Amino acid sequence: MTVRSVEAVWPGEWVTSRLGVRLVDGERPVGAGLASMVGLAVRRNPRRAHLLVSAVLGKHVPTDPRLVYGSGLLLGELVRARLRDEVTSVPSGSFKDALAGVPGAAAALRDALREPRPAVDAVVLGYAETATALGHSVADALGGAYYLHSTRRPVRGFATYGGFEEEHSHATSHLLLPSDPAALDRDVPVVLVDDELSTGQTVLNTIEALHALRPRRHYVLAALVDLRGESDRARVDELAARLGTRIDAVSLAGGRVELPTGVLEKGTQIVSELSAASASEVEDGAFGVARVRLDWPRGVPDGGRHGFLPEHRTALEKDLPRMADAVAAELGDGASRVLVLGFEELMYAPLRLAEALADASPGLDVRYSTTTRSPVLAVDDPGYAIRTRLAFPAHDDPADGPGERYAYNVAPAAGRPPFDRIVFVVDDVGDTQGLTDGLLARLRALAPVVVVTVPSHGGDR
């Protein structure tokens, strides 16, 4: 069985040496330091020069899906402890071993965290696009939670419950589109999940918007990494006092990012100098494309865009082995290194399929990541977190108009083994001719592609 190799070079050294960005360790609630959780890259964004690239999120870096899901469940355990005012009893060594790629450690961590626990009622909100599966995993860990993620895709027939802005994002508008607003509009704790807390302003905006609609007594902020400073934390306390509520925060690792003077100008200059060479030159064509009919379980949403209930998870998990077997049968003989690639906000369904595929096929090295709207500079250097970039046109008729989309670290970097199969999981809204002519043409140049289309819950309303 192939396991994740340990990087000889921290995938943030390139940015540290050229931009002067430094990570400083803080709290280690589960034993992992900040640098083991993230690498660094340079954004193509004049509002923020650097990007923290998570080693466990499964967005920009192809990752063992059991580590991705286990990390989300672990964060959920910290949330559970805070909601119940209990002490967390998760052994720190298991997570550190999983991060280090110790054989079997990621699956063991995931399995330990899936042991039955008392269900906790809460509303869990995940942020699009990066934290849609992370938030869903936190909700899974709580057992009794209602899950909803924000979206940038307006859907006909669904009224907007609320909206808010993300301060440093290149695309700021978030919508909440629950199919059943009553499931959201309850006086139970609200858990807000993102991959990182930088200043915390986005979650404060969310709490203010939600509290104005329905006051709640308890909010929990949950993130993989918490980078807030003292003034940021003070703003949370001030908001809690003003609203007359309780606001807690949990994370897998804490610390801070130190930014030198002029970092935005330096970042812009680096992007300008290196952009021409950063795109991976991949010709279209070569390998074939196959399609798998999954028979997605009836009544189960494809994710949390319109809400996801515990009974939905039960039904999905019953059918996951069957669906993974259907995908495995289409991979053919000779498959050894397989990427399951999700589609922007559609992260949870591909994650669980990838996890089930890895469990059912111990001879396969299965990795998981997703496409993204986020423009990031690619530099093929071991000390840089985004080594290759595929660019392609949006293929789901986005409400904000056509634009470029990206898949990072899918094309092989120098000295790294390629994927010999790629499974692309997309909802039916994104399964268009634009997909065939764009992303699929790029992926077909790298390896045989298997397309898995899931029904978009509410897409036909």
Side-chain angles (χ1 to χ4, degrees):
M1 176 180 175
T2 306
V3 300
R4 181 171 68 94
S5 61
V6 178
E7 293 281 0
V9 179
W10 175 55
E13 288 191 5
W14 193 96
V15 174
T16 294
S17 65
R18 286 162 178 80
L19 280 184
V21 177
R22 293 183 62 247
L23 300 187
V24 179
D25 255 345
E27 294 182 351
R28 297 187 175 202
V30 293
L34 191 58
S36 67
M37 294 280 294
V38 299
L40 291 170
V42 178
R43 291 176 181 262
R44 296 171 178 267
N45 185 340
R47 301 170 68 180
R48 197 180 189 194
H50 70 284
L51 175 71
L52 295 182
V53 181
S54 175
V56 300
L57 185 64
K59 172 53 79 171
H60 304 94
V61 179
T63 307
D64 185 334
R66 292 162 296 194
L67 174 59
V68 176
Y69 192 51
S71 299
L73 295 178
L74 181 57
L75 182 61
E77 281 304 301
L78 299 185
V79 171
R80 169 192 292 275
R82 191 58 57 92
L83 290 176
R84 294 168 60 93
D85 289 319
E86 297 175 346
V87 176
T88 309
S89 58
V90 178
S92 62
S94 59
F95 183 56
K96 291 171 67 177
D97 288 347
L99 276 174
V102 173
L109 172 70
R110 187 266 325 261
D111 292 345
L113 291 166
R114 294 187 67 186
E115 290 293 322
R117 290 164 170 78
V120 175
D121 190 12
V123 170
V124 179
L125 299 179
Y127 287 91
E129 67 175 41
T130 54
T132 59
L134 177 63
H136 211 142
S137 304
V138 168
D140 286 356
L142 297 181
Y146 168 79
Y147 179 63
L148 180 75
H149 70 69
S150 68
T151 182
R152 296 190 176 101
R153 180 194 285 178
V155 181
R156 186 178 59 191
F158 288 86
T160 302
Y161 182 89
F164 47 92
E165 299 296 306
E166 188 173 3
E167 302 304 311
H168 58 258
S169 175
H170 58 282
T172 57
S173 294
H174 290 250
L175 303 172
L176 297 179
L177 302 176
S179 60
D180 180 12
L184 180 60
D185 193 21
R186 299 180 294 133
D187 185 18
V188 296
V190 173
V191 183
L192 301 112
V193 184
D194 211 348
D195 56 318
E196 68 177 76
L197 289 173
S198 48
T199 66
Q201 190 58 52
T202 299
V203 292
L204 296 188
N205 292 347
T206 310
I207 290 173
E208 289 226 60
L210 293 176
H211 206 78
L213 295 169
R214 178 67 155 89
R216 278 123 171 149
R217 288 170 285 182
H218 195 184
Y219 297 88
V220 178
L221 318 181
L224 294 174
V225 296
D226 187 347
L227 309 170
R228 294 173 301 151
E230 291 184 8
S231 62
D232 302 319
R233 296 169 190 267
R235 281 199 300 274
V236 174
D237 295 338
E238 291 165 3
L239 179 63
R242 177 160 59 84
L243 298 180
T245 190
R246 174 181 170 186
I247 304 176
D248 294 323
V250 298
S251 67
L252 298 188
R256 68 179 191 274
V257 179
E258 292 186 346
L259 303 175
T261 302
V263 67
L264 287 176
E265 292 78 8
K266 288 181 181 177
T268 300
Q269 181 181 354
I270 287 175
V271 169
S272 176
E273 292 174 351
L274 298 183
S275 285
S278 70
S280 300
E281 295 298 330
V282 175
E283 295 183 1
D284 295 348
F287 295 99
V289 175
R291 289 181 173 269
V292 171
R293 181 183 173 89
L294 277 190
D295 291 324
W296 187 260
R298 186 175 180 83
V300 176
D302 60 317
R305 179 179 287 116
H306 304 301
F308 201 97
L309 297 166
E311 51 263 39
H312 292 144
R313 184 181 72 254
T314 300
L316 175 63
E317 291 184 342
K318 179 182 177 181
D319 277 9
L320 275 173
R322 172 187 61 77
M323 293 190 288
D325 286 346
V327 173
E330 195 60 52
L331 295 178
D333 296 333
S336 61
R337 195 162 191 264
V338 179
L339 173 66
V340 177
L341 184 66
F343 162 50
E344 295 185 31
E345 294 178 7
L346 185 70
M347 296 185 68
Y348 182 74
L351 170 61
R352 300 307 307 275
L353 280 171
E355 178 200 13
L357 180 63
D359 286 341
S361 308
L364 293 181
D365 178 15
V366 179
R367 291 292 179 263
Y368 157 80
S369 64
T370 76
T371 64
T372 178
R373 286 172 164 249
S374 299
V376 185
L377 181 71
V379 178
D380 195 359
D381 186 285
Y384 191 83
I386 303 292
R387 297 187 62 177
T388 66
R389 176 179 74 110
L390 297 180
F392 53 93
H395 50 86
D396 61 340
D397 190 23
D400 56 352
E404 203 168 51
R405 302 294 187 261
Y406 311 95
Y408 296 113
N409 294 315
V410 173
R416 303 297 294 270
F419 293 107
D420 52 37
R421 301 289 190 281
I422 299 173
V423 179
F424 183 59
V425 183
V426 63
D427 63 19
D428 49 19
V429 174
D431 191 1
T432 63
Q433 189 62 43
L435 170 66
T436 300
D437 297 340
L439 175 59
L440 289 188
R442 308 292 189 276
L443 297 178
R444 288 180 57 210
L446 301 173
V449 178
V450 175
V451 177
V452 176
T453 304
V454 300
S456 177
H457 181 64
D460 56 351
R461 288 179 55 168

